PDB file of all heavy atoms in Angstrom:
ATOM      1  N   LEU A   1       0.834  -1.195   0.000  1.00 98.00           N
ATOM      2  CA  LEU A   1       0.000   0.000   0.000  1.00 98.00           C
ATOM      3  C   LEU A   1       0.870   1.246   0.000  1.00 98.00           C
ATOM      4  O   LEU A   1       1.786   1.358   0.806  1.00 98.00           O
ATOM      5  CB  LEU A   1      -0.914   0.005   1.240  1.00 98.00           C
ATOM      6  CG  LEU A   1      -1.866   1.188   1.382  1.00 98.00           C
ATOM      7  CD1 LEU A   1      -2.874   1.241   0.244  1.00 98.00           C
ATOM      8  CD2 LEU A   1      -2.586   1.143   2.732  1.00 98.00           C
ATOM      9  N   LYS A   2       0.534   2.165  -0.910  1.00 98.00           N
ATOM     10  CA  LYS A   2       1.255   3.433  -0.980  1.00 98.00           C
ATOM     11  C   LYS A   2       0.348   4.494  -1.586  1.00 98.00           C
ATOM     12  O   LYS A   2      -0.384   4.223  -2.532  1.00 98.00           O
ATOM     13  CB  LYS A   2       2.511   3.282  -1.852  1.00 98.00           C
ATOM     14  CG  LYS A   2       3.320   4.575  -2.062  1.00 98.00           C
ATOM     15  CD  LYS A   2       4.497   4.310  -2.998  1.00 98.00           C
ATOM     16  CE  LYS A   2       5.246   5.581  -3.355  1.00 98.00           C
ATOM     17  NZ  LYS A   2       6.026   6.120  -2.231  1.00 98.00           N
ATOM     18  N   LEU A   3       0.390   5.708  -1.040  1.00 98.00           N
ATOM     19  CA  LEU A   3      -0.256   6.861  -1.676  1.00 98.00           C
ATOM     20  C   LEU A   3       0.787   7.472  -2.602  1.00 98.00           C
ATOM     21  O   LEU A   3       1.755   8.083  -2.158  1.00 98.00           O
ATOM     22  CB  LEU A   3      -0.745   7.864  -0.630  1.00 98.00           C
ATOM     23  CG  LEU A   3      -1.728   8.964  -1.052  1.00 98.00           C
ATOM     24  CD1 LEU A   3      -1.077  10.039  -1.895  1.00 98.00           C
ATOM     25  CD2 LEU A   3      -2.938   8.391  -1.773  1.00 98.00           C
ATOM     26  N   VAL A   4       0.586   7.287  -3.901  1.00 98.00           N
ATOM     27  CA  VAL A   4       1.579   7.670  -4.901  1.00 98.00           C
ATOM     28  C   VAL A   4       1.363   9.079  -5.418  1.00 98.00           C
ATOM     29  O   VAL A   4       2.307   9.836  -5.620  1.00 98.00           O
ATOM     30  CB  VAL A   4       1.549   6.679  -6.090  1.00 98.00           C
ATOM     31  CG1 VAL A   4       2.598   7.037  -7.138  1.00 98.00           C
ATOM     32  CG2 VAL A   4       1.743   5.245  -5.604  1.00 98.00           C
ATOM     33  N   GLY A   5       0.090   9.414  -5.638  1.00 98.00           N
ATOM     34  CA  GLY A   5      -0.183  10.694  -6.275  1.00 98.00           C
ATOM     35  C   GLY A   5      -1.629  11.096  -6.155  1.00 98.00           C
ATOM     36  O   GLY A   5      -2.338  10.685  -5.236  1.00 98.00           O
ATOM     37  N   VAL A   6      -2.086  11.886  -7.130  1.00 98.00           N
ATOM     38  CA  VAL A   6      -3.431  12.444  -7.083  1.00 98.00           C
ATOM     39  C   VAL A   6      -4.115  12.240  -8.423  1.00 98.00           C
ATOM     40  O   VAL A   6      -3.491  12.301  -9.480  1.00 98.00           O
ATOM     41  CB  VAL A   6      -3.395  13.947  -6.716  1.00 98.00           C
ATOM     42  CG1 VAL A   6      -2.664  14.765  -7.777  1.00 98.00           C
ATOM     43  CG2 VAL A   6      -4.800  14.502  -6.483  1.00 98.00           C
ATOM     44  N   LYS A   7      -5.411  11.971  -8.368  1.00 98.00           N
ATOM     45  CA  LYS A   7      -6.235  11.816  -9.574  1.00 98.00           C
ATOM     46  C   LYS A   7      -7.034  13.097  -9.769  1.00 98.00           C
ATOM     47  O   LYS A   7      -7.708  13.576  -8.863  1.00 98.00           O
ATOM     48  CB  LYS A   7      -7.185  10.632  -9.383  1.00 98.00           C
ATOM     49  CG  LYS A   7      -8.332  10.534 -10.390  1.00 98.00           C
ATOM     50  CD  LYS A   7      -7.879  10.001 -11.716  1.00 98.00           C
ATOM     51  CE  LYS A   7      -9.060   9.861 -12.678  1.00 98.00           C
ATOM     52  NZ  LYS A   7     -10.117   8.962 -12.198  1.00 98.00           N
ATOM     53  N   LEU A   8      -6.964  13.656 -10.977  1.00 98.00           N
ATOM     54  CA  LEU A   8      -7.717  14.851 -11.340  1.00 98.00           C
ATOM     55  C   LEU A   8      -8.610  14.530 -12.521  1.00 98.00           C
ATOM     56  O   LEU A   8      -8.227  13.767 -13.415  1.00 98.00           O
ATOM     57  CB  LEU A   8      -6.769  15.998 -11.705  1.00 98.00           C
ATOM     58  CG  LEU A   8      -5.742  16.414 -10.646  1.00 98.00           C
ATOM     59  CD1 LEU A   8      -4.771  17.426 -11.225  1.00 98.00           C
ATOM     60  CD2 LEU A   8      -6.448  16.984  -9.411  1.00 98.00           C
ATOM     61  N   TYR A   9      -9.804  15.122 -12.543  1.00 97.00           N
ATOM     62  CA  TYR A   9     -10.742  14.936 -13.654  1.00 97.00           C
ATOM     63  C   TYR A   9     -10.740  16.175 -14.533  1.00 97.00           C
ATOM     64  O   TYR A   9     -10.994  17.289 -14.054  1.00 97.00           O
ATOM     65  CB  TYR A   9     -12.164  14.709 -13.145  1.00 97.00           C
ATOM     66  CG  TYR A   9     -12.448  13.303 -12.692  1.00 97.00           C
ATOM     67  CD1 TYR A   9     -12.364  12.957 -11.350  1.00 97.00           C
ATOM     68  CD2 TYR A   9     -12.818  12.318 -13.616  1.00 97.00           C
ATOM     69  CE1 TYR A   9     -12.632  11.656 -10.931  1.00 97.00           C
ATOM     70  CE2 TYR A   9     -13.088  11.022 -13.198  1.00 97.00           C
ATOM     71  CZ  TYR A   9     -13.001  10.704 -11.859  1.00 97.00           C
ATOM     72  OH  TYR A   9     -13.264   9.415 -11.456  1.00 97.00           O
ATOM     73  N   LEU A  10     -10.482  15.980 -15.838  1.00 97.00           N
ATOM     74  CA  LEU A  10     -10.542  17.105 -16.758  1.00 97.00           C
ATOM     75  C   LEU A  10     -11.828  17.102 -17.582  1.00 97.00           C
ATOM     76  O   LEU A  10     -12.311  18.158 -17.971  1.00 97.00           O
ATOM     77  CB  LEU A  10      -9.321  17.095 -17.683  1.00 97.00           C
ATOM     78  CG  LEU A  10      -9.139  18.306 -18.590  1.00 97.00           C
ATOM     79  CD1 LEU A  10      -9.237  19.611 -17.815  1.00 97.00           C
ATOM     80  CD2 LEU A  10      -7.810  18.236 -19.319  1.00 97.00           C
ATOM     81  N   ASP A  11     -12.375  15.908 -17.853  1.00 96.00           N
ATOM     82  CA  ASP A  11     -13.640  15.862 -18.588  1.00 96.00           C
ATOM     83  C   ASP A  11     -14.426  14.636 -18.165  1.00 96.00           C
ATOM     84  O   ASP A  11     -14.048  13.933 -17.222  1.00 96.00           O
ATOM     85  CB  ASP A  11     -13.416  15.915 -20.103  1.00 96.00           C
ATOM     86  CG  ASP A  11     -12.759  14.660 -20.688  1.00 96.00           C
ATOM     87  OD1 ASP A  11     -12.198  13.870 -19.900  1.00 96.00           O
ATOM     88  OD2 ASP A  11     -12.792  14.488 -21.923  1.00 96.00           O
ATOM     89  N   GLY A  12     -15.539  14.381 -18.874  1.00 93.00           N
ATOM     90  CA  GLY A  12     -16.392  13.252 -18.555  1.00 93.00           C
ATOM     91  C   GLY A  12     -16.149  12.090 -19.508  1.00 93.00           C
ATOM     92  O   GLY A  12     -15.034  11.832 -19.921  1.00 93.00           O
ATOM     93  N   ALA A  13     -17.224  11.387 -19.864  1.00 93.00           N
ATOM     94  CA  ALA A  13     -17.122  10.181 -20.682  1.00 93.00           C
ATOM     95  C   ALA A  13     -17.906  10.341 -21.979  1.00 93.00           C
ATOM     96  O   ALA A  13     -18.806  11.172 -22.089  1.00 93.00           O
ATOM     97  CB  ALA A  13     -17.642   8.972 -19.900  1.00 93.00           C
ATOM     98  N   LEU A  14     -17.569   9.497 -22.953  1.00 93.00           N
ATOM     99  CA  LEU A  14     -18.260   9.541 -24.243  1.00 93.00           C
ATOM    100  C   LEU A  14     -19.732   9.160 -24.113  1.00 93.00           C
ATOM    101  O   LEU A  14     -20.595   9.764 -24.742  1.00 93.00           O
ATOM    102  CB  LEU A  14     -17.585   8.584 -25.233  1.00 93.00           C
ATOM    103  CG  LEU A  14     -16.354   9.067 -25.987  1.00 93.00           C
ATOM    104  CD1 LEU A  14     -15.804   7.925 -26.842  1.00 93.00           C
ATOM    105  CD2 LEU A  14     -16.681  10.270 -26.859  1.00 93.00           C
ATOM    106  N   GLY A  15     -20.009   8.132 -23.306  1.00 89.00           N
ATOM    107  CA  GLY A  15     -21.377   7.615 -23.225  1.00 89.00           C
ATOM    108  C   GLY A  15     -22.389   8.642 -22.788  1.00 89.00           C
ATOM    109  O   GLY A  15     -23.532   8.649 -23.255  1.00 89.00           O
ATOM    110  N   SER A  16     -21.992   9.518 -21.866  1.00 88.00           N
ATOM    111  CA  SER A  16     -22.884  10.563 -21.371  1.00 88.00           C
ATOM    112  C   SER A  16     -22.633  11.895 -22.075  1.00 88.00           C
ATOM    113  O   SER A  16     -23.158  12.928 -21.665  1.00 88.00           O
ATOM    114  CB  SER A  16     -22.707  10.733 -19.861  1.00 88.00           C
ATOM    115  OG  SER A  16     -21.340  10.900 -19.532  1.00 88.00           O
ATOM    116  N   ARG A  17     -21.830  11.853 -23.132  1.00 93.00           N
ATOM    117  CA  ARG A  17     -21.437  13.042 -23.906  1.00 93.00           C
ATOM    118  C   ARG A  17     -20.800  14.106 -23.003  1.00 93.00           C
ATOM    119  O   ARG A  17     -20.989  15.299 -23.203  1.00 93.00           O
ATOM    120  CB  ARG A  17     -22.620  13.630 -24.679  1.00 93.00           C
ATOM    121  CG  ARG A  17     -23.201  12.699 -25.734  1.00 93.00           C
ATOM    122  CD  ARG A  17     -24.208  13.408 -26.631  1.00 93.00           C
ATOM    123  NE  ARG A  17     -24.839  12.458 -27.531  1.00 93.00           N
ATOM    124  CZ  ARG A  17     -25.935  11.751 -27.227  1.00 93.00           C
ATOM    125  NH1 ARG A  17     -26.498  11.902 -26.044  1.00 93.00           N
ATOM    126  NH2 ARG A  17     -26.449  10.919 -28.091  1.00 93.00           N
ATOM    127  N   GLY A  18     -20.051  13.623 -22.031  1.00 93.00           N
ATOM    128  CA  GLY A  18     -19.321  14.535 -21.162  1.00 93.00           C
ATOM    129  C   GLY A  18     -17.861  14.678 -21.551  1.00 93.00           C
ATOM    130  O   GLY A  18     -17.180  15.572 -21.059  1.00 93.00           O
ATOM    131  N   ALA A  19     -17.377  13.781 -22.431  1.00 96.00           N
ATOM    132  CA  ALA A  19     -15.995  13.893 -22.907  1.00 96.00           C
ATOM    133  C   ALA A  19     -15.861  15.203 -23.695  1.00 96.00           C
ATOM    134  O   ALA A  19     -16.693  15.524 -24.541  1.00 96.00           O
ATOM    135  CB  ALA A  19     -15.641  12.694 -23.780  1.00 96.00           C
ATOM    136  N   TRP A  20     -14.798  15.936 -23.434  1.00 98.00           N
ATOM    137  CA  TRP A  20     -14.606  17.280 -24.007  1.00 98.00           C
ATOM    138  C   TRP A  20     -13.956  17.159 -25.375  1.00 98.00           C
ATOM    139  O   TRP A  20     -12.814  16.701 -25.486  1.00 98.00           O
ATOM    140  CB  TRP A  20     -13.768  18.105 -23.041  1.00 98.00           C
ATOM    141  CG  TRP A  20     -13.549  19.529 -23.431  1.00 98.00           C
ATOM    142  CD1 TRP A  20     -14.327  20.304 -24.250  1.00 98.00           C
ATOM    143  CD2 TRP A  20     -12.475  20.356 -22.996  1.00 98.00           C
ATOM    144  NE1 TRP A  20     -13.804  21.572 -24.363  1.00 98.00           N
ATOM    145  CE2 TRP A  20     -12.663  21.627 -23.597  1.00 98.00           C
ATOM    146  CE3 TRP A  20     -11.371  20.165 -22.160  1.00 98.00           C
ATOM    147  CZ2 TRP A  20     -11.789  22.691 -23.394  1.00 98.00           C
ATOM    148  CZ3 TRP A  20     -10.509  21.220 -21.950  1.00 98.00           C
ATOM    149  CH2 TRP A  20     -10.709  22.471 -22.559  1.00 98.00           C
ATOM    150  N   LEU A  21     -14.673  17.582 -26.400  1.00 98.00           N
ATOM    151  CA  LEU A  21     -14.220  17.447 -27.778  1.00 98.00           C
ATOM    152  C   LEU A  21     -13.884  18.803 -28.397  1.00 98.00           C
ATOM    153  O   LEU A  21     -14.446  19.827 -28.023  1.00 98.00           O
ATOM    154  CB  LEU A  21     -15.301  16.772 -28.630  1.00 98.00           C
ATOM    155  CG  LEU A  21     -15.772  15.387 -28.199  1.00 98.00           C
ATOM    156  CD1 LEU A  21     -16.841  14.877 -29.162  1.00 98.00           C
ATOM    157  CD2 LEU A  21     -14.613  14.400 -28.123  1.00 98.00           C
ATOM    158  N   LYS A  22     -13.000  18.767 -29.383  1.00 98.00           N
ATOM    159  CA  LYS A  22     -12.643  19.990 -30.109  1.00 98.00           C
ATOM    160  C   LYS A  22     -13.784  20.446 -31.016  1.00 98.00           C
ATOM    161  O   LYS A  22     -13.983  21.648 -31.229  1.00 98.00           O
ATOM    162  CB  LYS A  22     -11.377  19.756 -30.944  1.00 98.00           C
ATOM    163  CG  LYS A  22     -10.109  19.565 -30.119  1.00 98.00           C
ATOM    164  CD  LYS A  22      -8.886  19.448 -31.017  1.00 98.00           C
ATOM    165  CE  LYS A  22      -7.589  19.355 -30.211  1.00 98.00           C
ATOM    166  NZ  LYS A  22      -6.392  19.309 -31.077  1.00 98.00           N
ATOM    167  N   GLN A  23     -14.518  19.475 -31.567  1.00 97.00           N
ATOM    168  CA  GLN A  23     -15.656  19.755 -32.432  1.00 97.00           C
ATOM    169  C   GLN A  23     -16.900  19.115 -31.826  1.00 97.00           C
ATOM    170  O   GLN A  23     -16.800  18.150 -31.064  1.00 97.00           O
ATOM    171  CB  GLN A  23     -15.414  19.208 -33.843  1.00 97.00           C
ATOM    172  CG  GLN A  23     -14.182  19.776 -34.537  1.00 97.00           C
ATOM    173  CD  GLN A  23     -14.288  21.264 -34.795  1.00 97.00           C
ATOM    174  OE1 GLN A  23     -15.371  21.779 -35.052  1.00 97.00           O
ATOM    175  NE2 GLN A  23     -13.158  21.967 -34.711  1.00 97.00           N
ATOM    176  N   PRO A  24     -18.104  19.621 -32.162  1.00 97.00           N
ATOM    177  CA  PRO A  24     -19.327  19.076 -31.562  1.00 97.00           C
ATOM    178  C   PRO A  24     -19.506  17.582 -31.847  1.00 97.00           C
ATOM    179  O   PRO A  24     -18.981  17.040 -32.831  1.00 97.00           O
ATOM    180  CB  PRO A  24     -20.436  19.899 -32.222  1.00 97.00           C
ATOM    181  CG  PRO A  24     -19.784  21.175 -32.621  1.00 97.00           C
ATOM    182  CD  PRO A  24     -18.387  20.799 -33.010  1.00 97.00           C
ATOM    183  N   TYR A  25     -20.255  16.937 -30.980  1.00 97.00           N
ATOM    184  CA  TYR A  25     -20.600  15.536 -31.173  1.00 97.00           C
ATOM    185  C   TYR A  25     -21.354  15.356 -32.482  1.00 97.00           C
ATOM    186  O   TYR A  25     -22.246  16.144 -32.808  1.00 97.00           O
ATOM    187  CB  TYR A  25     -21.461  15.031 -30.009  1.00 97.00           C
ATOM    188  CG  TYR A  25     -20.672  14.706 -28.770  1.00 97.00           C
ATOM    189  CD1 TYR A  25     -20.353  15.690 -27.837  1.00 97.00           C
ATOM    190  CD2 TYR A  25     -20.244  13.411 -28.524  1.00 97.00           C
ATOM    191  CE1 TYR A  25     -19.625  15.395 -26.691  1.00 97.00           C
ATOM    192  CE2 TYR A  25     -19.512  13.096 -27.384  1.00 97.00           C
ATOM    193  CZ  TYR A  25     -19.210  14.094 -26.478  1.00 97.00           C
ATOM    194  OH  TYR A  25     -18.482  13.797 -25.354  1.00 97.00           O
ATOM    195  N   ALA A  26     -21.038  14.296 -33.198  1.00 97.00           N
ATOM    196  CA  ALA A  26     -21.715  14.025 -34.463  1.00 97.00           C
ATOM    197  C   ALA A  26     -23.198  13.735 -34.241  1.00 97.00           C
ATOM    198  O   ALA A  26     -24.028  14.043 -35.100  1.00 97.00           O
ATOM    199  CB  ALA A  26     -21.051  12.849 -35.176  1.00 97.00           C
ATOM    200  N   ASP A  27     -23.543  13.150 -33.092  1.00 95.00           N
ATOM    201  CA  ASP A  27     -24.941  12.816 -32.817  1.00 95.00           C
ATOM    202  C   ASP A  27     -25.601  13.792 -31.844  1.00 95.00           C
ATOM    203  O   ASP A  27     -26.691  13.534 -31.345  1.00 95.00           O
ATOM    204  CB  ASP A  27     -25.055  11.379 -32.300  1.00 95.00           C
ATOM    205  CG  ASP A  27     -24.242  11.121 -31.039  1.00 95.00           C
ATOM    206  OD1 ASP A  27     -23.519  12.036 -30.592  1.00 95.00           O
ATOM    207  OD2 ASP A  27     -24.323  10.002 -30.489  1.00 95.00           O
ATOM    208  N   ALA A  28     -24.931  14.890 -31.545  1.00 95.00           N
ATOM    209  CA  ALA A  28     -25.511  15.958 -30.716  1.00 95.00           C
ATOM    210  C   ALA A  28     -24.796  17.251 -31.101  1.00 95.00           C
ATOM    211  O   ALA A  28     -23.898  17.716 -30.390  1.00 95.00           O
ATOM    212  CB  ALA A  28     -25.343  15.663 -29.230  1.00 95.00           C
ATOM    213  N   PRO A  29     -25.156  17.840 -32.254  1.00 94.00           N
ATOM    214  CA  PRO A  29     -24.396  18.954 -32.832  1.00 94.00           C
ATOM    215  C   PRO A  29     -24.195  20.161 -31.923  1.00 94.00           C
ATOM    216  O   PRO A  29     -23.237  20.902 -32.093  1.00 94.00           O
ATOM    217  CB  PRO A  29     -25.223  19.325 -34.067  1.00 94.00           C
ATOM    218  CG  PRO A  29     -25.947  18.067 -34.421  1.00 94.00           C
ATOM    219  CD  PRO A  29     -26.259  17.401 -33.120  1.00 94.00           C
ATOM    220  N   GLY A  30     -25.047  20.325 -30.930  1.00 93.00           N
ATOM    221  CA  GLY A  30     -24.886  21.493 -30.063  1.00 93.00           C
ATOM    222  C   GLY A  30     -23.989  21.271 -28.866  1.00 93.00           C
ATOM    223  O   GLY A  30     -23.791  22.181 -28.062  1.00 93.00           O
TER     224      GLY A  30
END
């Protein structure tokens, strides 16, 4: 057991359309 570091969240997931994309989602243009 060791505490090595830290986990940070920058975006979400593809399934919930929370992943941060450069261009809009193809199935959710807005």
Side-chain angles (χ1 to χ4, degrees):
L1 181 63
K2 177 183 174 71
L3 194 287
V4 181
V6 63
K7 166 77 178 301
L8 303 173
Y9 279 97
L10 188 50
D11 69 344
L14 277 176
S16 51
R17 297 190 186 88
W20 184 24
L21 302 180
K22 291 184 176 183
Q23 301 296 326
Y25 281 86
D27 58 356

